[in-house]
Amino acid sequence: MVSGGHDARYIPPGAAHALDSAQATPHETDEWSLHGARIVVRAGALADAATLVRECAPGCRPIVIADSNVAPLHAAPIAAALNADLLVFPAGEASKTREQWSALTDELLARQLGRDTVVVAVGGGVCGDLAGFVAATYLRGVPVVQVPTSLVAMIDAAIGGKTGVDTRHGKNLVGAFHQPRLVLVDPLALRSLPAAHRRAGMAEAIKHGAIADESYFHWIAAHGAALLSPSLAPSLAERLVRSSVAVKVGVVAGDEREGGRRRILNFGHTIGHAIEHLSGYTLLHGEAIAIGMVAEARLGELAEVTLPGLAEDVAELCAAFGLPVRIAPEFSADAILALARGDKKSREGAAEYALPLRLAEMNEGNGRFSLPMDDALVRAALDATR
Ligand code: GLY
């Protein structure tokens, strides 16, 4: 299990479960501090959004940004409580562009917002990345609060300070590191998340178990149906999100700018991002990552880096959540390899892969935590995943 690094300290949890922070297991901890960000994971926390935003950015003028799906559900009440304007952009990955970044930035400029602005991003990964990038660049950077409402955003995108947009060359290729002041997570927001998005988010949860927390991997397997239930129990929702957040915080704490160990979070993402892009973003991020994890675990097995059987274990667990685990015939190996080479994770034109050694243990690769692989081996792994 991952333990917190030098800048990841558990803030003592609330009185209801006042365990000594050193003894608290990840899912019993409800707050973390990570590179200046306060991270709160608590059922019902959305009701406290206005208070917590004001606390983390005193004297700042909030502006709320959300997509067209989340705006009426979660963002409008927060904007009303903050007495702030709400900027709405069309829902979908197609909005994660420089054009949309520019349009939102112009809205801030038109309002003559100054450096005392705090951007409040309410929504899924697209909103957090896009609004986070607006905040990172507006007047050379203003504070941002992330209020993630999708599972992918709660357990991955909103935590760790990565912001950015896609280009026609690939995903997340233009962006900035910009740590939020506050990440406010209400796991009960998952109840209003469409089922396909809940399933897709489970791919990132499975990834966290696979890379760093064996007991969490098995816990997910044991609670499959309950985790997908429309009336998701608060205790399960909290445990799911907190276990994943603990893994992510533990990894990012020691490597904010992805110089080494943070790369283990990219398990499944070299091939997964390529497939997501080739699908024209008709595959949800988590769906593409499920396929990517299976293919990359197979690659690890073929390269004799990964203990045989892990690819099958990951495939079985992903499939149990209704996630795709096979590469469709229309995504050619040539196209996947070409995109992988253009990925942020490539070095000197060679794609790199974060590969597991076994369940919950990743290959360190001499401190690089990712390895270049022969094209022939990658092709074989892709073939074995069709
Ligand atoms: N999503 C992987 C990371 O934040 O590093």
Side-chain angles (χ1 to χ4, degrees), residues 3 173 247 276 299 381:
S3 57
L173 291 181
V247 169
E276 186 181 1
L299 175 61

Side-chain angles (χ1 to χ4, degrees), residues 152 155-162 172 177 204 207-208 248 251-252 255-256 258 261-267 269 273 285:
V152 167
I155 66 177
D156 184 30
I159 294 166
K162 285 185 179 175
N172 297 336
F177 284 97
E204 293 287 357
K207 181 192 80 178
H208 288 141
K248 177 125 196 200
V251 172
V252 175
D255 180 19
E256 185 182 11
E258 203 171 290
R261 191 158 190 273
R262 185 166 179 168
R263 295 196 187 110
I264 70 173
L265 294 166
N266 294 330
F267 171 48
H269 282 61
H273 272 169
H285 176 68

Side-chain angles (χ1 to χ4, degrees), residues 201-351:
M202 286 309 302
E204 293 287 357
I206 292 167
K207 181 192 80 178
H208 288 141
I211 64 172
D213 188 341
E214 187 171 350
S215 63
Y216 180 40
F217 189 88
H218 295 307
W219 180 85
I220 292 170
H223 291 83
L227 292 171
L228 293 178
S229 159
S231 58
L232 181 64
S235 58
L236 273 188
E238 282 184 334
R239 180 160 181 174
L240 172 70
V241 176
R242 288 176 186 170
S243 300
S244 265
V245 167
V247 169
K248 177 125 196 200
V249 167
V251 172
V252 175
D255 180 19
E256 185 182 11
R257 298 290 171 125
E258 203 171 290
R261 191 158 190 273
R262 185 166 179 168
R263 295 196 187 110
I264 70 173
L265 294 166
N266 294 330
F267 171 48
H269 282 61
T270 303
I271 291 173
H273 272 169
I275 289 173
E276 186 181 1
H277 189 73
L278 285 172
S279 80
Y281 297 97
T282 55
L283 279 176
L284 295 172
H285 176 68
E287 293 172 330
I289 293 315
I291 301 169
M293 285 193 291
V294 176
E296 292 182 17
R298 292 222 163 93
L299 175 61
E301 290 180 12
L302 289 172
E304 298 184 354
V305 169
T306 305
L307 202 67
L310 184 68
E312 218 32 63
D313 289 347
V314 171
E316 253 180 45
L317 188 49
C318 288
F321 283 92
L323 291 164
V325 292
R326 298 200 170 279
I327 302 170
E330 61 265 32
F331 305 144
S332 74
D334 284 344
I336 292 172
L337 279 165
L339 277 160
R341 275 186 218 107
D343 190 89
K344 296 186 302 309
K345 299 178 280 300
S346 67
R347 280 186 224 203
E348 295 168 12

Side-chain angles (χ1 to χ4, degrees), residues 59-63 107-119 135 138-143:
C60 282
R61 193 171 153 195
I63 180 112
E107 291 285 345
L108 268 61
L109 290 168
R111 285 168 173 74
Q112 298 184 316
L113 296 177
R115 285 214 165 105
D116 58 347
T117 304
V118 55
V119 171
Y138 188 69
L139 306 182
R140 298 202 177 94
V142 296

Side-chain angles (χ1 to χ4, degrees), residues 92-176:
E93 186 81 24
S95 281
K96 219 175 108 175
T97 60
R98 282 169 287 193
E99 290 71 27
Q100 193 60 61
W101 163 82
S102 170
L104 289 167
T105 301
D106 284 349
E107 291 285 345
L108 268 61
L109 290 168
R111 285 168 173 74
Q112 298 184 316
L113 296 177
R115 285 214 165 105
D116 58 347
T117 304
V118 55
V119 171
V120 182
V122 184
V126 169
C127 179
D129 285 6
L130 177 64
F133 190 42
V134 169
T137 48
Y138 188 69
L139 306 182
R140 298 202 177 94
V142 296
V144 64
V145 169
Q146 296 282 357
V147 185
T149 57
S150 75
L151 183 52
V152 167
M154 288 179 189
I155 66 177
D156 184 30
I159 294 166
K162 285 185 179 175
T163 72
V165 294
D166 305 332
T167 79
R168 68 186 172 82
H169 298 282
K171 202 171 150 70
N172 297 336
L173 291 181
V174 176

